[in-house]
PDB file of all heavy atoms in Angstrom:
ATOM      1  N   PHE B1145      11.021  13.281 -27.739  1.00 98.00           N
ATOM      2  CA  PHE B1145       9.681  13.357 -28.318  1.00 98.00           C
ATOM      3  C   PHE B1145       9.649  14.252 -29.603  1.00 98.00           C
ATOM      4  O   PHE B1145       9.187  13.719 -30.590  1.00 98.00           O
ATOM      5  CB  PHE B1145       8.622  13.880 -27.239  1.00 98.00           C
ATOM      6  CG  PHE B1145       7.310  13.583 -27.634  1.00 98.00           C
ATOM      7  CD1 PHE B1145       6.563  12.483 -27.153  1.00 98.00           C
ATOM      8  CD2 PHE B1145       6.621  14.428 -28.603  1.00 98.00           C
ATOM      9  CE1 PHE B1145       5.216  12.233 -27.659  1.00 98.00           C
ATOM     10  CE2 PHE B1145       5.257  14.185 -29.038  1.00 98.00           C
ATOM     11  CZ  PHE B1145       4.584  13.075 -28.470  1.00 98.00           C
ATOM     12  N   GLU B1146      10.111  15.455 -29.384  1.00 97.00           N
ATOM     13  CA  GLU B1146       9.961  16.420 -30.410  1.00 97.00           C
ATOM     14  C   GLU B1146      10.746  16.005 -31.747  1.00 97.00           C
ATOM     15  O   GLU B1146      10.265  16.135 -32.852  1.00 97.00           O
ATOM     16  CB  GLU B1146      10.262  17.743 -30.022  1.00 97.00           C
ATOM     17  CG  GLU B1146       9.215  18.425 -29.184  1.00 97.00           C
ATOM     18  CD  GLU B1146       9.662  19.660 -28.426  1.00 97.00           C
ATOM     19  OE1 GLU B1146      10.881  20.061 -28.419  1.00 97.00           O
ATOM     20  OE2 GLU B1146       8.702  20.280 -27.815  1.00 97.00           O
ATOM     21  N   GLU B1147      11.951  15.485 -31.532  1.00 97.00           N
ATOM     22  CA  GLU B1147      12.733  15.012 -32.696  1.00 97.00           C
ATOM     23  C   GLU B1147      12.237  13.615 -33.098  1.00 97.00           C
ATOM     24  O   GLU B1147      12.688  13.245 -34.283  1.00 97.00           O
ATOM     25  CB  GLU B1147      14.133  14.980 -32.286  1.00 97.00           C
ATOM     26  CG  GLU B1147      14.738  16.388 -31.988  1.00 97.00           C
ATOM     27  CD  GLU B1147      16.207  16.354 -31.655  1.00 97.00           C
ATOM     28  OE1 GLU B1147      16.791  15.336 -31.470  1.00 97.00           O
ATOM     29  OE2 GLU B1147      16.764  17.458 -31.532  1.00 97.00           O
ATOM     30  N   GLY B1148      11.462  12.966 -32.400  1.00 97.00           N
ATOM     31  CA  GLY B1148      11.023  11.590 -32.760  1.00 97.00           C
ATOM     32  C   GLY B1148       9.756  11.569 -33.558  1.00 97.00           C
ATOM     33  O   GLY B1148       9.243  10.525 -34.002  1.00 97.00           O
ATOM     34  N   VAL B1149       9.156  12.831 -33.699  1.00 97.00           N
ATOM     35  CA  VAL B1149       7.767  12.828 -34.368  1.00 97.00           C
ATOM     36  C   VAL B1149       7.944  13.429 -35.737  1.00 97.00           C
ATOM     37  O   VAL B1149       8.671  14.478 -35.911  1.00 97.00           O
ATOM     38  CB  VAL B1149       6.800  13.676 -33.640  1.00 97.00           C
ATOM     39  CG1 VAL B1149       5.513  13.845 -34.450  1.00 97.00           C
ATOM     40  CG2 VAL B1149       6.567  13.039 -32.281  1.00 97.00           C
ATOM     41  N   VAL B1150       7.408  12.860 -36.765  1.00 97.00           N
ATOM     42  CA  VAL B1150       7.374  13.352 -38.115  1.00 97.00           C
ATOM     43  C   VAL B1150       5.903  13.590 -38.517  1.00 97.00           C
ATOM     44  O   VAL B1150       5.084  12.777 -38.389  1.00 97.00           O
ATOM     45  CB  VAL B1150       8.024  12.271 -39.134  1.00 97.00           C
ATOM     46  CG1 VAL B1150       7.972  12.867 -40.506  1.00 97.00           C
ATOM     47  CG2 VAL B1150       9.388  11.843 -38.725  1.00 97.00           C
ATOM     48  N   GLU B1151       5.674  14.767 -39.118  1.00 97.00           N
ATOM     49  CA  GLU B1151       4.326  15.047 -39.530  1.00 97.00           C
ATOM     50  C   GLU B1151       4.289  14.484 -41.072  1.00 97.00           C
ATOM     51  O   GLU B1151       5.095  14.883 -41.834  1.00 97.00           O
ATOM     52  CB  GLU B1151       4.039  16.609 -39.655  1.00 97.00           C
ATOM     53  CG  GLU B1151       3.788  17.068 -38.187  1.00 97.00           C
ATOM     54  CD  GLU B1151       2.760  18.208 -38.290  1.00 97.00           C
ATOM     55  OE1 GLU B1151       1.691  18.060 -38.784  1.00 97.00           O
ATOM     56  OE2 GLU B1151       2.983  19.243 -37.542  1.00 97.00           O
ATOM     57  N   VAL B1152       3.296  13.672 -41.275  1.00 97.00           N
ATOM     58  CA  VAL B1152       3.204  13.055 -42.561  1.00 97.00           C
ATOM     59  C   VAL B1152       1.858  13.408 -43.378  1.00 97.00           C
ATOM     60  O   VAL B1152       0.893  13.659 -42.642  1.00 97.00           O
ATOM     61  CB  VAL B1152       3.368  11.529 -42.502  1.00 97.00           C
ATOM     62  CG1 VAL B1152       4.764  11.107 -41.923  1.00 97.00           C
ATOM     63  CG2 VAL B1152       2.208  10.909 -41.763  1.00 97.00           C
ATOM     64  N   LYS B1153       2.010  13.490 -44.726  1.00 96.00           N
ATOM     65  CA  LYS B1153       0.817  13.794 -45.419  1.00 96.00           C
ATOM     66  C   LYS B1153       0.319  12.671 -46.295  1.00 96.00           C
ATOM     67  O   LYS B1153      -0.731  12.712 -46.896  1.00 96.00           O
ATOM     68  CB  LYS B1153       1.253  14.897 -46.396  1.00 96.00           C
ATOM     69  CG  LYS B1153       1.845  16.076 -45.809  1.00 96.00           C
ATOM     70  CD  LYS B1153       0.758  17.228 -45.577  1.00 96.00           C
ATOM     71  CE  LYS B1153       1.371  18.419 -44.921  1.00 96.00           C
ATOM     72  NZ  LYS B1153       0.524  19.048 -43.809  1.00 96.00           N
ATOM     73  N   SER B1154       1.092  11.531 -46.408  1.00 97.00           N
ATOM     74  CA  SER B1154       0.759  10.396 -47.186  1.00 97.00           C
ATOM     75  C   SER B1154       1.077   9.076 -46.504  1.00 97.00           C
ATOM     76  O   SER B1154       1.944   9.121 -45.488  1.00 97.00           O
ATOM     77  CB  SER B1154       1.356  10.481 -48.538  1.00 97.00           C
ATOM     78  OG  SER B1154       2.903  10.187 -48.294  1.00 97.00           O
ATOM     79  N   MET B1155       0.504   8.017 -46.920  1.00 97.00           N
ATOM     80  CA  MET B1155       0.849   6.774 -46.333  1.00 97.00           C
ATOM     81  C   MET B1155       2.300   6.322 -46.611  1.00 97.00           C
ATOM     82  O   MET B1155       2.969   5.583 -45.881  1.00 97.00           O
ATOM     83  CB  MET B1155      -0.134   5.668 -46.742  1.00 97.00           C
ATOM     84  CG  MET B1155      -1.516   5.676 -46.040  1.00 97.00           C
ATOM     85  SD  MET B1155      -1.369   5.830 -44.181  1.00 97.00           S
ATOM     86  CE  MET B1155      -0.673   4.182 -43.781  1.00 97.00           C
ATOM     87  N   ALA B1156       2.796   6.752 -47.785  1.00 97.00           N
ATOM     88  CA  ALA B1156       4.256   6.487 -48.130  1.00 97.00           C
ATOM     89  C   ALA B1156       5.104   7.092 -47.174  1.00 97.00           C
ATOM     90  O   ALA B1156       5.933   6.447 -46.565  1.00 97.00           O
ATOM     91  CB  ALA B1156       4.474   7.029 -49.449  1.00 97.00           C
ATOM     92  N   GLU B1157       4.818   8.387 -46.791  1.00 97.00           N
ATOM     93  CA  GLU B1157       5.637   9.114 -45.744  1.00 97.00           C
ATOM     94  C   GLU B1157       5.393   8.351 -44.376  1.00 97.00           C
ATOM     95  O   GLU B1157       6.407   8.333 -43.576  1.00 97.00           O
ATOM     96  CB  GLU B1157       5.204  10.566 -45.610  1.00 97.00           C
ATOM     97  CG  GLU B1157       5.724  11.438 -46.765  1.00 97.00           C
ATOM     98  CD  GLU B1157       5.101  12.805 -46.674  1.00 97.00           C
ATOM     99  OE1 GLU B1157       4.730  13.339 -45.522  1.00 97.00           O
ATOM    100  OE2 GLU B1157       4.981  13.509 -47.719  1.00 97.00           O
ATOM    101  N   PHE B1158       4.176   8.092 -44.140  1.00 98.00           N
ATOM    102  CA  PHE B1158       3.811   7.424 -42.848  1.00 98.00           C
ATOM    103  C   PHE B1158       4.671   6.164 -42.729  1.00 98.00           C
ATOM    104  O   PHE B1158       5.474   5.945 -41.692  1.00 98.00           O
ATOM    105  CB  PHE B1158       2.368   6.963 -42.997  1.00 98.00           C
ATOM    106  CG  PHE B1158       1.686   6.654 -41.726  1.00 98.00           C
ATOM    107  CD1 PHE B1158       0.495   7.303 -41.259  1.00 98.00           C
ATOM    108  CD2 PHE B1158       2.258   5.693 -40.835  1.00 98.00           C
ATOM    109  CE1 PHE B1158      -0.086   6.942 -40.020  1.00 98.00           C
ATOM    110  CE2 PHE B1158       1.616   5.457 -39.628  1.00 98.00           C
ATOM    111  CZ  PHE B1158       0.381   5.982 -39.247  1.00 98.00           C
ATOM    112  N   LYS B1159       4.716   5.294 -43.755  1.00 97.00           N
ATOM    113  CA  LYS B1159       5.473   3.943 -43.613  1.00 97.00           C
ATOM    114  C   LYS B1159       6.921   4.264 -43.417  1.00 97.00           C
ATOM    115  O   LYS B1159       7.598   3.482 -42.640  1.00 97.00           O
ATOM    116  CB  LYS B1159       5.122   3.080 -44.826  1.00 97.00           C
ATOM    117  CG  LYS B1159       3.775   2.493 -44.771  1.00 97.00           C
ATOM    118  CD  LYS B1159       3.460   1.688 -46.027  1.00 97.00           C
ATOM    119  CE  LYS B1159       2.010   1.803 -46.436  1.00 97.00           C
ATOM    120  NZ  LYS B1159       1.794   1.292 -47.780  1.00 97.00           N
ATOM    121  N   LYS B1160       7.435   5.164 -44.273  1.00 97.00           N
ATOM    122  CA  LYS B1160       8.878   5.428 -44.192  1.00 97.00           C
ATOM    123  C   LYS B1160       9.189   5.882 -42.743  1.00 97.00           C
ATOM    124  O   LYS B1160      10.291   5.512 -42.209  1.00 97.00           O
ATOM    125  CB  LYS B1160       9.119   6.565 -45.178  1.00 97.00           C
ATOM    126  CG  LYS B1160      10.694   6.751 -45.585  1.00 97.00           C
ATOM    127  CD  LYS B1160      10.905   7.794 -46.608  1.00 97.00           C
ATOM    128  CE  LYS B1160      12.194   8.468 -46.305  1.00 97.00           C
ATOM    129  NZ  LYS B1160      12.310   9.937 -46.604  1.00 97.00           N
ATOM    130  N   ALA B1161       8.410   6.783 -42.252  1.00 97.00           N
ATOM    131  CA  ALA B1161       8.684   7.375 -40.793  1.00 97.00           C
ATOM    132  C   ALA B1161       8.742   6.221 -39.804  1.00 97.00           C
ATOM    133  O   ALA B1161       9.702   6.083 -39.023  1.00 97.00           O
ATOM    134  CB  ALA B1161       7.688   8.414 -40.418  1.00 97.00           C
ATOM    135  N   ILE B1162       7.666   5.354 -39.920  1.00 97.00           N
ATOM    136  CA  ILE B1162       7.554   4.185 -38.944  1.00 97.00           C
ATOM    137  C   ILE B1162       8.839   3.302 -39.124  1.00 97.00           C
ATOM    138  O   ILE B1162       9.345   2.767 -38.194  1.00 97.00           O
ATOM    139  CB  ILE B1162       6.261   3.442 -39.170  1.00 97.00           C
ATOM    140  CG1 ILE B1162       5.040   4.322 -38.750  1.00 97.00           C
ATOM    141  CG2 ILE B1162       6.235   2.150 -38.379  1.00 97.00           C
ATOM    142  CD1 ILE B1162       4.978   4.760 -37.236  1.00 97.00           C
ATOM    143  N   ASP B1163       9.098   2.988 -40.376  1.00 96.00           N
ATOM    144  CA  ASP B1163      10.349   2.171 -40.604  1.00 96.00           C
ATOM    145  C   ASP B1163      11.601   2.673 -40.115  1.00 96.00           C
ATOM    146  O   ASP B1163      12.482   1.963 -39.767  1.00 96.00           O
ATOM    147  CB  ASP B1163      10.494   1.881 -42.126  1.00 96.00           C
ATOM    148  CG  ASP B1163       9.403   0.923 -42.745  1.00 96.00           C
ATOM    149  OD1 ASP B1163       8.726   0.350 -41.795  1.00 96.00           O
ATOM    150  OD2 ASP B1163       9.161   0.890 -43.877  1.00 96.00           O
ATOM    151  N   SER B1164      11.684   4.031 -40.100  1.00 96.00           N
ATOM    152  CA  SER B1164      12.896   4.601 -39.531  1.00 96.00           C
ATOM    153  C   SER B1164      12.665   5.045 -37.994  1.00 96.00           C
ATOM    154  O   SER B1164      13.374   5.947 -37.524  1.00 96.00           O
ATOM    155  CB  SER B1164      13.344   5.854 -40.336  1.00 96.00           C
ATOM    156  OG  SER B1164      12.220   6.715 -40.368  1.00 96.00           O
ATOM    157  N   LYS B1165      11.870   4.242 -37.303  1.00 95.00           N
ATOM    158  CA  LYS B1165      11.706   4.352 -35.893  1.00 95.00           C
ATOM    159  C   LYS B1165      11.259   5.755 -35.415  1.00 95.00           C
ATOM    160  O   LYS B1165      11.719   6.261 -34.419  1.00 95.00           O
ATOM    161  CB  LYS B1165      12.936   3.924 -35.181  1.00 95.00           C
ATOM    162  CG  LYS B1165      13.337   2.415 -35.534  1.00 95.00           C
ATOM    163  CD  LYS B1165      14.423   1.940 -34.607  1.00 95.00           C
ATOM    164  CE  LYS B1165      14.613   0.488 -34.983  1.00 95.00           C
ATOM    165  NZ  LYS B1165      15.603  -0.169 -34.230  1.00 95.00           N
ATOM    166  N   LYS B1166      10.293   6.234 -36.176  1.00 97.00           N
ATOM    167  CA  LYS B1166       9.774   7.559 -35.664  1.00 97.00           C
ATOM    168  C   LYS B1166       8.338   7.353 -35.327  1.00 97.00           C
ATOM    169  O   LYS B1166       7.685   6.290 -35.713  1.00 97.00           O
ATOM    170  CB  LYS B1166       9.706   8.580 -36.866  1.00 97.00           C
ATOM    171  CG  LYS B1166      11.192   8.928 -37.334  1.00 97.00           C
ATOM    172  CD  LYS B1166      11.866   9.821 -36.379  1.00 97.00           C
ATOM    173  CE  LYS B1166      13.292  10.182 -36.874  1.00 97.00           C
ATOM    174  NZ  LYS B1166      14.001  11.022 -35.855  1.00 97.00           N
ATOM    175  N   MET B1167       7.772   8.309 -34.635  1.00 97.00           N
ATOM    176  CA  MET B1167       6.359   8.350 -34.385  1.00 97.00           C
ATOM    177  C   MET B1167       5.777   9.379 -35.524  1.00 97.00           C
ATOM    178  O   MET B1167       6.659  10.198 -35.916  1.00 97.00           O
ATOM    179  CB  MET B1167       6.106   9.047 -33.001  1.00 97.00           C
ATOM    180  CG  MET B1167       4.815   8.766 -32.391  1.00 97.00           C
ATOM    181  SD  MET B1167       5.046   8.930 -30.516  1.00 97.00           S
ATOM    182  CE  MET B1167       3.604   9.875 -30.197  1.00 97.00           C
ATOM    183  N   VAL B1168       4.521   9.289 -35.840  1.00 97.00           N
ATOM    184  CA  VAL B1168       4.050  10.153 -36.818  1.00 97.00           C
ATOM    185  C   VAL B1168       2.908  10.904 -36.247  1.00 97.00           C
ATOM    186  O   VAL B1168       2.184  10.564 -35.332  1.00 97.00           O
ATOM    187  CB  VAL B1168       3.643   9.483 -38.180  1.00 97.00           C
ATOM    188  CG1 VAL B1168       4.707   8.670 -38.753  1.00 97.00           C
ATOM    189  CG2 VAL B1168       2.374   8.819 -37.963  1.00 97.00           C
ATOM    190  N   LYS B1169       2.701  12.141 -36.904  1.00 97.00           N
ATOM    191  CA  LYS B1169       1.453  12.956 -36.659  1.00 97.00           C
ATOM    192  C   LYS B1169       0.797  13.123 -37.980  1.00 97.00           C
ATOM    193  O   LYS B1169       1.470  13.467 -38.970  1.00 97.00           O
ATOM    194  CB  LYS B1169       1.959  14.287 -36.111  1.00 97.00           C
ATOM    195  CG  LYS B1169       0.820  14.988 -35.415  1.00 97.00           C
ATOM    196  CD  LYS B1169       1.310  16.395 -34.759  1.00 97.00           C
ATOM    197  CE  LYS B1169       0.267  17.043 -33.956  1.00 97.00           C
ATOM    198  NZ  LYS B1169       0.682  18.298 -33.469  1.00 97.00           N
ATOM    199  N   ALA B1170      -0.440  12.726 -37.976  1.00 97.00           N
ATOM    200  CA  ALA B1170      -1.090  12.739 -39.320  1.00 97.00           C
ATOM    201  C   ALA B1170      -2.551  13.104 -39.155  1.00 97.00           C
ATOM    202  O   ALA B1170      -3.175  12.856 -38.107  1.00 97.00           O
ATOM    203  CB  ALA B1170      -0.996  11.357 -39.970  1.00 97.00           C
ATOM    204  N   LEU B1171      -3.236  13.710 -40.182  1.00 97.00           N
ATOM    205  CA  LEU B1171      -4.634  13.890 -40.171  1.00 97.00           C
ATOM    206  C   LEU B1171      -5.362  12.567 -40.320  1.00 97.00           C
ATOM    207  O   LEU B1171      -4.930  11.697 -41.049  1.00 97.00           O
ATOM    208  CB  LEU B1171      -5.014  14.830 -41.343  1.00 97.00           C
ATOM    209  CG  LEU B1171      -4.492  16.261 -41.145  1.00 97.00           C
ATOM    210  CD1 LEU B1171      -4.855  17.137 -42.401  1.00 97.00           C
ATOM    211  CD2 LEU B1171      -5.091  16.963 -39.878  1.00 97.00           C
ATOM    212  N   PHE B1172      -6.459  12.415 -39.629  1.00 97.00           N
ATOM    213  CA  PHE B1172      -7.160  11.162 -39.591  1.00 97.00           C
ATOM    214  C   PHE B1172      -8.683  11.339 -39.415  1.00 97.00           C
ATOM    215  O   PHE B1172      -9.027  12.222 -38.758  1.00 97.00           O
ATOM    216  CB  PHE B1172      -6.614  10.384 -38.312  1.00 97.00           C
ATOM    217  CG  PHE B1172      -7.146   9.073 -38.135  1.00 97.00           C
ATOM    218  CD1 PHE B1172      -7.091   8.034 -39.105  1.00 97.00           C
ATOM    219  CD2 PHE B1172      -7.696   8.710 -36.947  1.00 97.00           C
ATOM    220  CE1 PHE B1172      -7.651   6.858 -38.930  1.00 97.00           C
ATOM    221  CE2 PHE B1172      -8.243   7.379 -36.671  1.00 97.00           C
ATOM    222  CZ  PHE B1172      -8.182   6.425 -37.755  1.00 97.00           C
ATOM    223  N   CYS B1173      -9.400  10.367 -40.072  1.00 96.00           N
ATOM    224  CA  CYS B1173     -10.847  10.452 -40.107  1.00 96.00           C
ATOM    225  C   CYS B1173     -11.530  10.058 -38.785  1.00 96.00           C
ATOM    226  O   CYS B1173     -12.617  10.288 -38.545  1.00 96.00           O
ATOM    227  CB  CYS B1173     -11.387   9.679 -41.266  1.00 96.00           C
ATOM    228  SG  CYS B1173     -10.964   7.908 -41.091  1.00 96.00           S
ATOM    229  N   GLY B1174     -10.692   9.195 -37.956  1.00 94.00           N
ATOM    230  CA  GLY B1174     -11.245   8.745 -36.704  1.00 94.00           C
ATOM    231  C   GLY B1174     -11.949   7.364 -36.808  1.00 94.00           C
ATOM    232  O   GLY B1174     -12.389   6.910 -35.719  1.00 94.00           O
TER     233      GLY B1174
END
Side-chain angles (χ1 to χ4, degrees):
Chain B
F1145 192 98
E1146 285 170 347
E1147 293 182 355
V1149 174
V1150 181
E1151 286 215 46
V1152 299
K1153 305 265 180 221
S1154 69
M1155 281 312 292
E1157 285 174 27
F1158 195 129
K1159 285 178 218 170
K1160 198 179 143 211
I1162 294 293
D1163 288 345
S1164 56
K1165 301 189 173 179
K1166 299 283 182 186
M1167 203 155 131
V1168 310
K1169 197 175 183 185
L1171 292 176
F1172 180 55
C1173 64

